[in-house]
Each structure stands twice: as C-alpha cells, then as structure tokens.
Amino acid sequence: LEKERKSFKEHIEKLMNKIKYCKEQGINIPLYIDCEYDGENYWLLEELAPGQELAYLVDNDDITKIFGNIPYEHIKKYIQDVYLLGINGIGIDAMRRNIFYDTNEGFTTIDVSLAKESKKEDSLYNVSEFFKIFSNVFLVPFSKDEYGQEVKEKTILNVIKAFESGHPFFEKYKRW
C-alpha cells in the first residue's frame, strides 16, 4: 500500500505542477490543493471554480437566455484553454458537470488528469474529436421558439468562429 501511495503522490504532484503552469499562463483552471489515497479510493481537493456547474445551469435555468448572453470571447477562450491544456499534458472529461460558467470569468474546467500531449497533432481525426467535445458541451436544449433558434444559430456560429482562431489545425480540416 505504501508503494501505491507513493506512486499516486508522484503522479498527483506531476499533475499539480502542470496545472500550476497552465494557470500561470492564464488558463481558467483551479489549482489542486491536496490529495489522499487509501489503496482503493483517492480524493483530490481543488480550488473552487467560479460560477456554476454547466450541467446545473442546463437542468435548472433558462439555458437559452444564458447562452444568448455568453460573449464570443468566453467561448473562444474556453476552446483555446482546452487546446492548451491538451498540449501541456492535461486531459479533460468534457462533461457539463466538469465545466463551470461565470459571467465574468467565462468557462473553467475542473477534475482534470494527466494525459498524453497529443492534442497538438495535425490530423483530421484530432480536429474532429476536439470539435466533438465542444458539440457535446455547447449544443444544449435551446427553447423551440424563434429566440431559442436564434441563440442556437448564434452559438453554433460562435463555436465555429472560435475554433478557427482557437485551434491551429481547424481551418485546414473544417470542410470535412
């Protein structure tokens, strides 16, 4: 158990250092503060992310109104942040429960892990997988009325526009 605990601590320390580096680069990500491992389970304590969990907002608020007011800059920064996390060896689980949104700070990703530094790969597969992540996050159940459809269209266009400037290989493969 002690050997496993030491290995876990080394793994988490490496992750904590990568997170700290990314945060220093301006990426919206909370620092990991502490961790514990008992041989079966582990716990990580991280800073609180600003805002509210995106899953909660989708389930409990007027998500059409919220997305209608999200500035393009927040979407662009989030796409850039996730790309930069990837090239720095930090993996995300792009589920709405792991993404927080704050009207001032924008999007923040929580519950990250170490990953291969593969997101800098120039390939159609890489770009399509990256785009799929954001389709799952940003294609929320917009209202069916005219306003909802306008917000949906605006959101889709903003995501595509943000990809054009936030992912270095998107332009090359976007027609596919």
Side-chain angles (χ1 to χ4, degrees), residues 134-152:
F134 291 96
S135 297
N136 292 335
V137 170
F138 287 112
L139 292 181
V140 298
F142 296 100
S143 63
K144 302 287 184 203
D145 60 13
E146 186 178 333
Y147 174 69
Q149 296 312 298
E150 287 174 14
V151 170
K152 179 179 180 180

Side-chain angles (χ1 to χ4, degrees), residues 16-91:
M16 290 169 80
N17 288 332
K18 287 179 179 262
I19 290 170
K20 183 179 179 196
Y21 173 79
C22 288
K23 187 163 183 111
E24 289 168 353
Q25 303 308 305
I27 295 171
N28 288 352
I29 185 169
L31 294 174
Y32 279 15
I33 299 167
D34 197 9
C35 63
E36 189 58 49
Y37 178 68
D38 70 1
E40 290 183 33
N41 302 299
Y42 65 89
W43 298 268
L44 296 169
L45 178 62
E46 62 186 321
E47 293 177 327
L48 289 175
Q52 289 187 296
E53 183 182 270
L54 191 57
Y56 175 84
L57 294 174
V58 169
D59 293 342
N60 297 297
D61 282 325
D62 183 352
I63 196 63
T64 300
K65 184 177 179 186
I66 292 168
F67 268 69
N69 291 310
I70 292 176
Y72 162 74
E73 291 76 21
H74 287 181
I75 295 171
K76 179 182 173 184
K77 179 161 181 7
Y78 184 60
I79 289 170
Q80 289 172 335
D81 282 358
V82 172
Y83 178 78
L84 292 171
L85 288 171
I87 65 171
N88 283 289
I90 297 178

